[in-house]
Structures are given as structure tokens and as C-alpha cells.
């Protein structure tokens, strides 16, 4: 197991947000209506924070090599991820670094997620079960 | 109006069990682009020791987001959901959610604070099986942005 998560890029389009809204049950208007998003001071439709957290989770479980290896997973949503209504949408880049071992022998990972060069998560960590 | 501080430390009665469906887990996994066989194929999940497909780490929010309406919809709390953004999210897992689980949520308010004109509400949801086996604890911090 390497000490680094190789940077991984996830593309996010409006279609992804629609699909995530349906699957998660989070139909908040700011994730599909530019009109409502702008009325509350956002640049436009933004991704669900939990969608970004799910993408980072994919990078974590892929690195761990097991879908059931995560013991703890925690993030702060520091900046929204605007998703323009284009074919390209936007991109989130995920990286991570091993930060040590817990008393139980689990591995602690520090994670980053950036969009357009800006950090969209802070204090993002995951703890991975010893194998 | 600030949030009602008397909600700090309050807990709500357990919710009705949520029955986790195999197709719901598959739908959620597809929506986040997760192709791991254990999320989709019961045989692959059985091979790593589970009775049916396992859910991705953030799946519990499907259940807790609905259950926590017990708290945020209470008019006495004073939360204006149109001004709410998601601040923090944390999961502590005993085991992954598995298709076939009947999951009960117990919601509590851990903290309410104010800073810089914004209000912060931290909720905790203990998710367990109907038989009382703990599965995952979920914390959410919601930020109610100040009115300008």
C-alpha cells in the first residue's frame, strides 16, 4: 500500500447531480435550479456536498483495496463546487497522504479535494481498518 | 432569530425502521460512479463475509437526512432551511450498511453555537439495527447563514 493517493480527477456534470439527487433523496433546489441558487447568493447550481464526499470516498476505498475498510470518515465543506450547465461540467481533484497509525493500528489518511485550484474540503480525514 | 439553545442535549424517540434495499444500494453506487463488485453483486459481498451487497461509506446519509427532519422541521428550533448550508459531515462505522438491514435512527442535538452572525447546529444520529446492533454514528453540522 503506497503512502500517497495518486491524484484522481472526477468530472461532475449537471446530469450527475440529477442522478445523485434521485439516488440520495436530496432535492434541494440549489443543486438543480440556477434561479434559486443565484437568489441565495451562489454563482449558480452547486454540487451536493455529500456527492463530493462520496467521490472522495471512492478514492479512499480504492486506495484501501476494500469497500468495507473505512472506520471513520469526516470532512468540512469549505467552499461550494459550482457545476456549469455544459457538457464538460467541472472537475474535482482528490489527493491523500498517510498521516500515521491510530492506537488500534488503523491507518489515518489526510485528504484534499480541489476544484478550479481551490480547496473545497478542509479537515478531510479517513481512518482505514488494519488488514 | 437565533436557534433555541434549549435543544442542546435533546434526543428524539427512535425512528421507524428503514429497510435497506439491494436495488437502492446499487442505485446509490451507480449515482456516485462506484463500480466495486461488493456494491452490486451479492456473491461478491458474500465472498467478503456479508449477507448481501454492502453500501458505500456515505450511503447512511440517505437514511439520516430523512430521519433528522425530526429535529430541523421542529418550528420551536427556529431553523430557516432556505438559509442552511452543509458545514461538516462525519461517519464512525461499526460495520458497513448491508442490504436487508432494518435500521433505526436515534437523533440528538450535540451543539448549537453562533459566530459571526451565523448559527451552527450539530446533530448526531445513532444508526442501529432494529435489534439494537450498532452500525454507524453520523454527525452533521448545518450552518444557518446570517440574514443580510
Amino acid at each position: 500500500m503506497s503512502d500517497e493517493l495518486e491524484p484522481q480527477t472526477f468530472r461532475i456534470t449537471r446530469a450527475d447531480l440529477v442522478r445523485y439527487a434521485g439516488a440520495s433523496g436530496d432535492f434541494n433546489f440549489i443543486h438543480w435550479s440556477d434561479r434559486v441558487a443565484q437568489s441565495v447568493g451562489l454563482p449558480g447550481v452547486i454540487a451536493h456536498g455529500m456527492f463530493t464526499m462520496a467521490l472522495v470516498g471512492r478514492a479512499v476505498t480504492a486506495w484501501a483495496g476494500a469497500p468495507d475498510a473505512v472506520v471513520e470518515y469526516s470532512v468540512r465543506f469549505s467552499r461550494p463546487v459550482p457545476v456549469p450547465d455544459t457538457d464538460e461540467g467541472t472537475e474535482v481533484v482528490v489527493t491523500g497522504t498517510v498521516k500515521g497509525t491510530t492506537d488500534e493500528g488503523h491507518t489515518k489518511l489526510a485528504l484534499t479535494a480541489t476544484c478550479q485550484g481551490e480547496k473545497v474540503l478542509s479537515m478531510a480525514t479517513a481512518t482505514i481498518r488494519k488488514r | 432569530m437565533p436557534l433555541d439553545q434549549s435543544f442542546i442535549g435533546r434526543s428524539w424517540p427512535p425512528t421507524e425502521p428503514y429497510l435497506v434495499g439491494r436495488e437502492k444500494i446499487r442505485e446509490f453506487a451507480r449515482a456516485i460512479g462506484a463500480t466495486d463488485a461488493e456494491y452490486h453483486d451479492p456473491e461478491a459481498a458474500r465472498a467478503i463475509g456479508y449477507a448481501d451487497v454492502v453500501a458505500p461509506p456515505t450511503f447512511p446519509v440517505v437514511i439520516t437526512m430523512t430521519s433528522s427532519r425530526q429535529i430541523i422541521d421542529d418550528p420551536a428550533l427556529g431553523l430557516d432551511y432556505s438559509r442552511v448550508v452543509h458545514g461538516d459531515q462525519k461517519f464512525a462505522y461499526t460495520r458497513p450498511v448491508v442490504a436487508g438491514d432494518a435500521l433505526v435512527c436515534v437523533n440528538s442535538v450535540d451543539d448549537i453555537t453562533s459566530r459571526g452572525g451565523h448559527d451552527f447546529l450539530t446533530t448526531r444520529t445513532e444508526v442501529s439495527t432494529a435489534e439494537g446492533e450498532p452500525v454507524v454514528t453520523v454527525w452533521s453540522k448545518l450552518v444557518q447563514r446570517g440574514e443580510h
Side-chain angles (χ1 to χ4, degrees), chain A residues 40 58 68 71 73 75 77, chain B residues 32 50 87-89 91 93 145:
Chain A
V40 296
R58 274 176 55 193
D68 61 343
V71 178
Y73 181 26
V75 307
F77 302 104
Chain B
I32 65 167
Y50 298 98
D88 296 23
Q89 182 72 30
F91 301 90
Y93 309 90
R145 295 191 293 176

Side-chain angles (χ1 to χ4, degrees), chain A residues 10 16 19-20 22-28 30 40-42 49-51 53-55 57-58 61-62 66-68 70-78 123 129, chain B residues 24 27-28 30-36 38-39 48 50 54-58 61-62 65 81-82 84-96 141 145:
Chain A
F10 296 93
D16 295 320
R19 193 175 297 117
Y20 184 77
S24 69
D26 183 347
F27 295 103
N28 194 324
I30 60 172
V40 296
L42 294 164
M50 289 308 302
F51 184 62
M53 190 175 185
L55 297 180
R58 274 176 55 193
T61 53
D68 61 343
V70 185
V71 178
E72 208 173 278
Y73 181 26
S74 153
V75 307
R76 168 162 295 174
F77 302 104
S78 50
M123 304 196 311
R129 182 172 287 118
Chain B
K24 189 67 192 175
E27 179 191 14
F28 186 87
R30 277 197 304 273
I32 65 167
T35 55
D36 310 53
E38 295 86 348
Y39 300 148
I48 59 164
Y50 298 98
V54 301
T58 61
V61 78
V62 171
M65 194 177 155
Y81 204 70
S82 73
V84 165
V85 294
H86 201 165
D88 296 23
Q89 182 72 30
K90 177 177 175 179
F91 301 90
Y93 309 90
T94 305
R95 65 160 175 85
K141 186 187 266 188
R145 295 191 293 176

Side-chain angles (χ1 to χ4, degrees), chain B residues 43-143:
Chain B
E43 284 306 320
R46 278 179 208 122
I48 59 164
Y50 298 98
D52 206 324
V53 296
V54 301
T58 61
F59 179 85
V61 78
V62 171
I63 304 161
T64 59
M65 194 177 155
T66 305
S67 84
S68 66
R69 301 208 76 91
Q70 269 184 328
I71 302 172
I72 60 180
D73 285 351
D74 187 335
L77 175 63
L79 190 73
D80 172 4
Y81 204 70
S82 73
R83 290 191 287 130
V84 165
V85 294
H86 201 165
D88 296 23
Q89 182 72 30
K90 177 177 175 179
F91 301 90
Y93 309 90
T94 305
R95 65 160 175 85
V97 171
V98 178
D101 282 341
L103 297 177
V104 170
C105 298
V106 175
N107 289 304
S108 308
V109 171
D110 270 5
D111 204 11
I112 294 175
T113 58
S114 280
R115 187 162 39 81
H118 306 302
D119 296 298
F120 301 86
L121 168 71
T122 304
T123 63
R124 173 169 45 92
T125 308
E126 302 285 354
V127 183
S128 58
T129 65
E131 293 76 37
E133 179 206 357
V135 176
V136 57
T137 305
V138 182
W139 291 263
S140 293
K141 186 187 266 188
L142 301 181
V143 183

